């Protein structure tokens, strides 16, 4: 049987998806929730935050312990781990792990009778890892951007403006504020390459997909960029792993996992990538014309990109795609956790939340929210604050519909640079289980939204990637599109259709929403009169 395993280390959980490609079936999806199952790390939604929410870290040892728990559970479930042909993985993007010079030797000499977490206690030069939700590096972003020649030049070199959550600015902050620890650091990994190193038993390369989210990789040559390295921190090139294609095989699984959990010593490992590049494959985006929205802890909107083009405003990003091409992406911090804040403020269940969405009118009587519960990436907002126009924080129904409409209006507004008028949107991530949320997306984008049976598209994508590289390694030719389509059965998946009657309403609301952003964030004119006209037109 052709079994393949994909693992995803996301913000809130570690998930495995085991597939059998001989029968196109999922054998198991299994998740470890960090807060619930590893409470001794004291995380909230998998993170610790300080400094008014600006500094957000997680614990790399927690990810290691979760990996052990996951494998233990798979053994207890009697899954055929010894028959798995290949494994790959996915990590929340941008987060960095700082390691000393004992990391390699420790991995090389792991004792399979002892736990991983005990043996890896002393390999870190920094106990915690800054993750993608951190927005404490505004100063470092400015410094690096200046050294790279300004906004356009930074985007043209790295594919993105310097972004507070990206690894380069985070590394620079560590170098500036913890100089001695920076000097003691021999290797800096991403979440993806850190966990892939553990499976491999030595330091793993970083793939072009996740490497592009660092402000350190040259997006054209796909090599570390000397100018960007110099702009970030001294001798950084010596501390970074090498960069490789997202489909490259990195070796065989380390004997530790063979002895402790019963994997076959012949299991091959494919380099891990970021969660968004993995999700691109996990929902089957291997060609132009479709886009995906991932409604996880972060909300992301992404698309496959054949020919390189950039968002010169600096809000969007270009990453490497698992196929070797590119992908475009915009990312929101005010995703699931912001929706959850509204839900919890009114003591609702998700069922109540959905019922309200179903029973409130499209256009929400002209109630408009700018939902910056947390600092935001798109548009850039450093001080969290929620703005409400035409209602207040006590209005239950108003708040529920307003946050969802705001999220998709913002996505429609800020994804224009991608230039892809979506024929269809593929939805994934935890909140894609919520049909009423997806109905709002379909209405605002005026596009069909397709839902998949497996919301864990990052782990599934990693399993697909491991299968593709395995078949390549034994010279069995399988096209990406065939491999993915035969498994996902896209035509048979559920579709949510846009409501025709609200097309003009959301076109009008989009313009007003954009003007409210300009009013609050750029000091432009207050569009209240336009909002009142909208109310009159649709709700009088
Ligand atoms: P990540 O991979 O970033 O850790 P997931 O894709 O697993 O996140 O999504 C987790 C989020 O999904 C949770 O924060 C939760 O609030 C949200 N979620 C789960 N079920 C629902 C639902 N029915 N409606 C809306 N959101 C939901
Ligand atoms: C993408 C981003 C997030 C993380 C966590 O740029 O920051 O989507 O990958 O999921």
């Amino acid at each position: 049987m052709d079994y393949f395993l994909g693992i995803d280390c996301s913000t809130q959980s570690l998930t495995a998806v085991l597939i059998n490609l001989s029968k196109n079936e999922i054998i198991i999806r299994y998740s470890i929730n960090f807060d619930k199952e590893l409470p001794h790390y004291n995380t909230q939604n998998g993170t610790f935050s300080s400094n008014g929410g600006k500094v957000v870290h997680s614990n790399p040892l927690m990810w290691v312990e979760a990996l052990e728990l996951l494998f233990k559970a798979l053994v207890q479930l009697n899954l055929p781990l010894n028959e798995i042909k290949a494994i790959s993985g996915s990590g929340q993007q941008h987060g960095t792990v700082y390691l000393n010079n004992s990391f390699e030797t420790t991995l090389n000499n792991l004792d399979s009778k002892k736990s991983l977490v005990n043996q890896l206690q002393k390999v870190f030069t920094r106990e915690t890892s800054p993750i993608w939700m951190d927005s404490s590096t505004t100063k470092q972003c400015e410094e690096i951007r200046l050294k790279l020649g300004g906004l356009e030049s930074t985007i043209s070199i790295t594919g993105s403006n310097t972004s507070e959550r990206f690894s380069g600015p985070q590394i620079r902050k560590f170098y500036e504020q913890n100089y001695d620890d920076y000097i003691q650091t021999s290797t800096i990994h991403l979440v993806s390459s850190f966990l892939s190193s553990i499976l491999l038993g030595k330091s793993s390369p970083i793939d072009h997909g996740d490497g592009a989210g660092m402000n350190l990789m040259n997006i054209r040559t796909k090599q570390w960029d000397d100018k960007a390295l110099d702009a970030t921190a001294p001798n950084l090139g010596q501390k970074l792993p090498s960069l490789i294609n997202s489909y490259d095989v990195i070796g065989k699984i380390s004997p530790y996992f063979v002895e402790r959990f019963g994997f076959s010593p012949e299991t091959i490992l494919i380099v891990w990538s970021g969660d968004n590049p993995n999700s691109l494959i996990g929902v089957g985006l291997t060609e132009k014309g479709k886009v995906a929205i991932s409604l996880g802890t972060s909300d992301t909107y992404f698309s496959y990109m054949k020919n390189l083009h950039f968002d010169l405003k600096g809000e969007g990003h270009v990453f490497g795609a698992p196929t070797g091409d590119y992908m475009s992406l915009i990312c929101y911090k005010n995703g699931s956790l912001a929706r959850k804040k509204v839900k919890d403020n009114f003591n609702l269940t998700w069922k109540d939340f959905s019922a309200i969405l179903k029973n409130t009118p499209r256009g929400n009587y002209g109630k408009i929210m700018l939902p910056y519960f947390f600092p935001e990436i798109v548009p850039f907002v450093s001080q969290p604050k929620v703005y409400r126009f035409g209602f207040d924080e006590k209005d239950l129904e108003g708040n529920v519909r307003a946050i969802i409409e705001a999220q998709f209006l913002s996505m429609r507004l800020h994804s224009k640079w991608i230039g892809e008028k979506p024929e269809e949107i593929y939805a994934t991530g935890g909140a894609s289980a919520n049909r009423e949320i997806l109905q709002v997306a379909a209405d605002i984008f005026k596009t069909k939204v397709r839902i998949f049976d497996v919301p864990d598209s990052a782990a599934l994508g990693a399993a697909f990637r491991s299968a593709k590289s395995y078949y390549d390694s034994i010279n069995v030719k399988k096209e990406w599109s065939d491999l993915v389509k035969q498994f996902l059965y896209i035509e048979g998946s559920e579709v949510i259709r846009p409501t025709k009657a609200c097309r003009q309403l959301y076109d009008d609301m989009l313009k007003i929403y954009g003007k409210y952003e300009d009013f609050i964030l750029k000091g432009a004119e207050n569009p209240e009169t336009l909002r009142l006209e909208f109310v009159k037109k649709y709700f009088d």
Side-chain angles (χ1 to χ4, degrees):
M1 289 292 173
D2 286 359
Y3 291 115
F4 298 97
L5 181 64
I7 302 169
D8 172 38
C9 182
S10 75
T11 316
Q12 304 191 51
S13 56
L14 185 82
T15 301
V17 171
L18 178 63
I19 61 173
N20 178 351
L21 265 191
S22 315
K23 293 194 173 163
N24 287 337
E25 65 185 14
I26 292 193
I27 308 295
I28 192 138
R29 293 163 49 202
Y30 194 94
S31 233
I32 306 280
N33 179 284
F34 299 137
D35 294 2
K36 285 196 198 118
E37 292 173 64
L38 295 162
H40 44 287
Y41 289 96
N42 289 320
T43 55
Q44 248 199 338
N45 304 312
T47 69
F48 329 100
S49 72
S50 57
N51 204 358
K54 284 209 155 198
V55 173
V56 187
H57 283 215
S58 189
N59 191 324
L61 267 180
M62 178 178 77
W63 301 326
V64 171
E65 197 168 339
L67 190 69
E68 286 194 288
L69 272 187
L70 183 77
F71 286 159
K72 263 190 207 155
L74 299 186
V75 169
Q76 273 167 8
L77 288 166
N78 270 324
L79 293 167
L81 300 191
N82 60 339
E83 289 184 52
I84 293 174
K85 298 268 195 315
I87 304 177
S88 189
S90 150
Q92 48 172 304
Q93 296 195 252
H94 320 298
T96 34
V97 182
Y98 299 76
L99 300 143
N100 62 30
N101 61 10
S102 73
F103 183 53
E104 287 274 349
T105 40
T106 308
L107 286 184
N108 221 331
N109 295 302
L110 287 174
D111 177 348
S112 63
K113 292 189 192 65
K114 296 187 187 149
S115 78
L116 271 178
V117 79
N118 279 339
Q119 298 179 79
L120 289 172
Q121 294 283 337
K122 298 211 171 95
V123 300
F124 301 97
T125 54
R126 193 178 192 181
E127 249 178 65
T128 59
S129 291
I131 64 158
W132 68 275
M133 293 166 88
D134 191 289
S135 41
S136 65
T137 63
T138 311
K139 169 179 166 286
Q140 289 76 16
C141 283
E142 278 162 16
E143 290 164 354
I144 298 171
R145 190 187 311 118
L146 199 69
K147 289 197 198 166
L148 290 183
L151 177 69
E152 269 196 39
S153 151
T154 304
I155 296 172
S156 168
I157 296 170
T158 73
S160 297
N161 186 10
T162 45
S163 306
E164 291 172 303
R165 68 194 192 288
F166 275 35
S167 323
Q170 292 290 344
I171 293 170
R172 181 166 178 80
K173 180 179 161 198
F174 185 58
Y175 150 71
E176 284 180 352
Q177 299 187 355
N178 303 71
Y179 180 78
D180 292 343
D181 297 334
Y182 176 78
I183 297 298
Q184 288 307 313
T185 303
S186 331
T187 312
I188 301 175
H189 272 293
L190 293 177
V191 179
S192 59
S193 61
F194 169 64
L195 287 170
S196 110
S197 303
I198 289 174
L199 289 184
L200 183 63
K202 61 180 185 194
S203 217
S204 157
I206 289 179
D207 87 303
H208 296 149
D210 225 7
M214 301 175 77
N215 285 139
L216 292 171
M217 186 185 97
N218 186 304
I219 196 72
R220 296 163 205 274
T221 63
K222 298 185 176 170
Q223 304 291 322
W224 297 124
D225 186 89
D226 285 339
K227 226 172 150 189
L229 294 174
D230 289 348
T232 303
N235 301 322
L236 181 53
Q238 291 157 28
K239 299 179 197 284
L240 293 175
S242 56
L243 282 163
I244 59 171
N245 297 309
S246 309
Y247 43 79
D248 284 344
V249 173
I250 51 174
K252 291 196 175 149
I253 195 163
S254 134
Y256 178 86
F257 296 93
V258 175
E259 288 156 24
R260 194 165 169 92
F261 300 106
F263 286 92
S264 157
E266 295 309 312
T267 313
I268 61 166
L269 302 178
I270 287 76
V271 66
W272 287 35
S273 186
D275 53 359
N276 292 293
N278 275 291
S279 283
L280 188 82
I281 286 297
V283 296
L285 291 188
T286 55
E287 49 206 33
K288 273 171 70 69
K290 311 263 166 49
V291 304
I293 48 176
S294 169
L295 308 175
T297 311
S298 63
D299 281 355
T300 55
Y301 177 103
F302 53 86
S303 170
Y304 168 89
M305 182 190 272
K306 182 81 196 159
N307 300 315
L308 203 52
H309 76 272
F310 302 118
D311 175 17
L312 293 179
K313 281 202 331 217
E315 289 178 342
H317 311 292
V318 178
F319 298 149
T323 51
D325 304 304
Y326 292 106
M327 66 180 286
S328 52
L329 176 133
I330 57 172
C331 176
Y332 292 86
K333 276 186 197 159
N334 287 278
S336 276
L337 299 182
R339 286 185 285 275
K340 194 166 169 296
K341 269 205 187 268
V342 173
K343 171 179 97 59
D344 294 347
N345 282 349
F346 292 103
N347 281 319
L348 304 173
T349 61
W350 284 123
K351 221 173 148 196
D352 304 329
F353 192 94
S354 303
I356 293 169
L357 280 180
K358 205 168 183 170
N359 295 320
T360 42
R362 298 175 177 84
N364 205 13
Y365 303 106
K367 297 170 187 175
I368 290 185
M369 179 191 280
L370 298 189
Y372 312 132
F373 290 86
F374 306 96
E376 190 48 279
I377 302 164
V378 179
F380 180 74
V381 176
S382 73
Q383 289 305 329
K385 182 168 175 185
V386 179
Y387 301 87
R388 293 178 181 82
F389 305 98
F391 69 121
D392 63 23
E393 75 272 16
K394 295 193 205 77
D395 176 348
L396 187 163
E397 298 189 340
N399 278 279
V400 167
R401 181 161 271 279
I403 184 164
I404 304 298
E405 288 189 338
Q407 288 176 327
F408 294 118
L409 285 168
S410 173
M411 257 187 205
R412 190 174 144 193
L413 196 65
H414 294 278
S415 58
K416 280 190 186 142
W417 69 274
I418 293 173
E420 199 76 73
K421 158 92 186 68
E423 299 157 21
E424 200 162 290
I425 295 176
Y426 292 175
T428 178
S432 69
N434 191 318
R435 305 294 189 267
E436 286 71 24
I437 291 180
L438 297 186
Q439 183 65 58
V440 181
D443 290 345
I444 289 183
F445 279 98
K446 304 190 279 189
T447 304
K448 284 186 278 184
V449 174
R450 203 173 273 285
I451 318 172
F452 295 93
D453 294 340
V454 190
D456 316 296
S457 55
L460 182 62
F464 287 157
R465 289 177 46 243
S466 66
K468 172 81 167 93
S469 299
Y470 168 77
Y471 291 127
D472 285 349
S473 77
I474 57 165
N475 290 320
V476 172
K477 189 137 184 65
K478 284 203 194 252
E479 293 298 329
W480 271 115
S481 51
D482 295 339
L483 188 146
V484 164
K485 271 184 201 149
Q486 72 183 37
F487 196 93
L488 289 174
Y489 183 45
I490 292 170
E491 293 77 25
S493 57
E494 187 183 339
V495 168
I496 294 188
R497 291 177 194 283
T499 316
K500 282 214 177 98
C502 64
R503 289 172 155 240
Q504 186 61 46
L505 177 146
Y506 278 127
D507 284 350
D508 290 349
M509 199 173 189
L510 186 72
K511 283 189 201 122
I512 301 172
Y513 186 86
K515 288 193 185 298
Y516 271 110
E517 277 191 356
D518 292 346
F519 166 51
I520 293 299
L521 304 173
K522 297 186 190 151
E525 209 180 310
N526 185 342
E528 182 66 2
T529 332
L530 285 179
R531 194 183 67 76
L532 293 175
E533 280 168 16
F534 174 86
V535 175
K536 208 161 172 211
K537 180 167 170 192
Y538 292 102
F539 298 101
D540 244 9

